[in-house]
């Protein structure tokens, strides 16, 4: 177990032992080979890490650290939203303007009469899609969870090819929307559409736009859509959710896998790799109102907009993956916003989002705290992973003023 402390003030060293104990249980159970938590509060930065980059192979001998490169999954979404806001600040994009000029594939959309019915049974969209719709995930289409062969639009959305962003947008525009624009929240797809909009607005590949507008200003040197050869030794192995026949962890993506070279599809919904150090720089800049080391990369008002719950009660009632999904949080721009505190964890007004392979990030303005959790195993439905509430409980009980 390794701990790193910078500056002073903000945490109880004695109670942080409980954070270390939780991380050791995750590694000791065989769920992941390594895990890390980075905390920043009142000028103090604590990084607690244990384990290695892989169960076997070269990575098994490399300790998990702040510069370990990991797949961030859906933690890509807030970075893409922040990039879009830099374009809004320049008046290159406007929140309530239609995206038709730059994404003509999404102009004059049709909408399903019955979300579960025929793709040919449609009506005209009541209004154009706007950037605000993309950032708040109220585009009108997104993840549809259904048993195979039961919902035509789910099958159609799943079958869209991803040769590159332009090809993907053409495929999306050829399908009807599931719901009217602005009617309800639907997950994921809007983030990829935001990425396509950024690429066309800047005239540059999305990765280059993110690097110039977000990563370089914040010193995020290891954040991008792929890992070059010189850095592959720092890329952790990603493991599947389910164990193998003998109870062993199953490799889903090795270091020389899909992130080891340039990718054609730079997905704004979940394609970035990064490090805890890099992501903590992004989180801390937002927590500081858009500044990093005294230099501003976003206006305070942009950060406030990103961290505001934009969903209405009516939208929340009909949205989410299950009834009551939005009882305790809402949605800002590319990330969730806590609206009710129900356990020892993020305060009301906290914002952030997790990623598919067990990464997570939340800023808590009330506590002046940023938290980044890093591991590399698909966690949804995996009973070996302690509830996220346990993770936040161990972190929040260590706060000390």
């Amino acid at each position: 177990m390794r701990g790193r402390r910078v500056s002073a003030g903000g945490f109880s060293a004695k109670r942080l032992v409980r954070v270390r104990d939780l991380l050791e249980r995750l590694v000791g159970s065989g769920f992941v080979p390594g895990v890390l938590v980075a905390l920043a509060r009142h000028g103090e930065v604590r990084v607690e890490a244990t384990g290695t980059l892989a169960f076997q192979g070269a990575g098994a001998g490399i300790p998990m650290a702040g510069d370990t490169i990991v797949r961030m999954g859906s933690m890509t979404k807030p970075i893409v939203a922040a990039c879009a806001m830099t374009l809004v600040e320049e008046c290159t994009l406007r929140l309530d303007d239609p995206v038709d000029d730059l994404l003509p594939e999404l102009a004059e959309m049709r909408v399903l009469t019955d979300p579960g019915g025929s793709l040919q049974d449609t009506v005209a969209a009541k209004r154009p899609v706007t950037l605000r719709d993309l950032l708040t995930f109220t585009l009108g289409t997104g993840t549809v969870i259904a048993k195979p062969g039961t919902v035509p639009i789910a099958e159609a959305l799943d079958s869209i090819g991803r040769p590159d962003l332009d090809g993907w947008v053409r495929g999306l525009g050829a399908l009807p929307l599931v719901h009217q624009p602005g009617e309800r929240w639907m997950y994921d797809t809007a983030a990829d559409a935001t990425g396509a909009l950024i690429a066309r607005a800047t005239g540059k590949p999305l990765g280059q736009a993110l690097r110039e507008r977000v990563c370089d200003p914040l010193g995020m040197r290891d954040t991008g859509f792929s890992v070059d050869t010189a850095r592959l030794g720092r890329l952790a192995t990603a493991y599947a959710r389910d164990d193998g026949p003998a109870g062993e962890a199953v490799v889903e993506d090795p270091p020389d896998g899909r992130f080891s070279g340039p990718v054609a599809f730079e997905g704004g919904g979940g394609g970035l790799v990064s490090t805890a150090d890099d992501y903590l720089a992004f989180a801390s800049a937002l927590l500081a109102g858009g500044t990093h080391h005294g230099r501003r990369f976003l206006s305070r008002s942009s950060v406030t907009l990103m961290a505001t719950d934009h969903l209405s009660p009516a939208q929340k009632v009909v949205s989410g993956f299950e009834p009551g999904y939005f009882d305790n949080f809402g949605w800002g721009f590319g990330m969730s916003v806590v609206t009710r505190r129900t356990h020892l964890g993020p305060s009301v007004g906290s914002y952030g989002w997790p990623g598919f392979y067990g990464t997570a990030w939340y800023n808590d303005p009330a506590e002046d705290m940023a938290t980044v959790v890093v591991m590399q195993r698909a966690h949804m439905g995996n009973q070996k992973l302690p509830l996220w509430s346990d993770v936040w409980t161990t972190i929040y009980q260590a706060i000390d003023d």
Side-chain angles (χ1 to χ4, degrees):
M1 170 61 65
R2 296 159 305 282
R4 173 160 62 88
R5 177 173 177 162
V6 182
S7 300
F11 299 103
S12 163
K14 183 177 180 180
R15 282 174 168 254
L16 279 172
V17 171
R18 300 176 186 177
V19 177
R20 294 194 292 272
D21 288 345
L22 176 63
L23 302 189
E24 289 174 345
R25 289 199 300 272
L26 279 170
V27 172
S29 70
F31 179 66
V32 287
V35 59
L36 179 149
V37 170
L39 304 170
R41 184 172 187 259
H42 295 348
E44 178 179 0
V45 177
R46 288 298 304 242
V47 177
E48 300 292 345
T50 189
T52 62
L53 274 57
F55 284 116
Q56 296 180 330
I62 303 175
M64 180 71 74
D67 67 349
T68 296
I69 300 171
V70 297
R71 301 148 193 81
M72 284 295 176
S74 288
M75 284 170 62
T76 302
K77 294 173 170 68
I79 293 178
V80 169
C83 186
M85 290 308 297
T86 68
L87 291 164
V88 171
E89 292 185 351
E90 295 173 1
C91 298
T92 300
L93 298 175
R94 296 175 181 82
L95 288 172
D96 295 311
D97 279 359
V99 299
D100 297 6
D101 287 349
L102 291 170
L103 299 178
E105 298 93 337
L106 302 186
E108 299 180 358
M109 294 294 288
R110 304 291 295 179
V111 182
L112 289 174
T113 302
D114 175 6
S118 168
L119 300 183
Q120 282 68 52
D121 191 0
T122 64
V123 297
K126 295 178 180 178
R127 63 165 179 81
V129 173
T130 66
L131 173 57
R132 189 183 299 272
D133 293 326
L134 299 186
L135 293 173
T136 59
F137 287 22
T138 56
L139 160 66
T141 193
T143 301
V144 177
I145 299 177
K147 293 181 179 180
T150 62
V151 178
I153 191 61
E155 301 282 326
L157 288 168
D158 287 343
S159 68
I160 295 177
R162 296 191 170 196
D164 52 32
L165 273 175
D166 288 337
W168 176 82
V169 171
R170 285 193 297 271
L172 183 66
L175 297 176
L177 298 175
V178 186
H179 301 284
Q180 289 288 343
E183 183 176 278
R184 64 182 69 193
W185 178 94
M186 295 188 72
Y187 191 55
D188 195 45
T189 303
D192 283 331
T194 304
L197 183 68
I198 290 169
R200 292 187 182 176
T202 60
K204 300 174 181 179
L206 176 59
Q208 182 178 346
L210 294 181
R211 184 171 64 253
E212 293 175 357
R213 292 174 171 274
V214 179
C215 298
D216 284 351
L218 299 181
M220 299 168 65
R221 294 183 293 272
D222 290 318
T223 301
F225 285 107
S226 62
V227 182
D228 59 38
T229 302
R231 298 181 301 152
L232 278 179
R234 290 192 282 125
L235 177 61
T237 297
Y239 293 90
R241 181 193 68 179
D242 297 324
D243 289 335
E248 75 281 10
V250 177
V251 173
E252 186 165 286
D253 188 51
D256 61 354
R258 59 194 178 98
F259 289 93
S260 62
V263 296
F265 182 82
E266 297 183 335
L272 287 178
V273 295
S274 187
T275 67
D277 287 347
D278 275 9
Y279 214 95
L280 192 63
F282 173 70
S284 297
L286 293 186
L287 194 61
T291 62
H292 178 68
H293 293 166
R295 299 183 62 183
R296 183 165 296 282
F297 96 103
L298 268 184
S299 69
R300 186 176 298 277
S301 57
S302 287
V303 176
T304 299
L305 270 173
M306 289 182 64
T308 295
D309 177 15
H310 293 276
L311 298 185
S312 69
Q315 288 172 321
K316 290 180 180 180
V317 167
V318 296
S319 300
F321 295 114
E322 58 191 6
Y325 186 75
F326 282 110
D327 283 354
N328 303 321
F329 72 96
W331 198 256
F333 289 172
M335 59 192 185
S336 67
V337 181
V338 177
T339 56
R340 185 172 65 168
R341 191 175 198 170
T342 59
H343 59 273
L344 188 57
S347 309
V348 171
S350 297
Y351 55 89
W353 198 238
F356 181 75
Y357 287 107
T359 58
W361 154 65
Y362 273 91
N363 276 358
D364 189 333
E367 295 289 357
D368 187 33
M369 184 168 72
T371 302
V372 178
V373 181
V374 164
M375 64 181 95
Q376 287 288 270
R377 183 161 185 179
H379 64 279
M380 296 300 293
N382 195 307
Q383 298 305 308
K384 285 189 178 181
L385 178 65
L387 295 174
W388 278 114
S389 60
D390 293 348
V391 176
W392 299 120
T393 293
T394 58
I395 291 169
Y396 272 77
Q397 54 79 36
I399 291 173
D400 190 25
D401 285 315

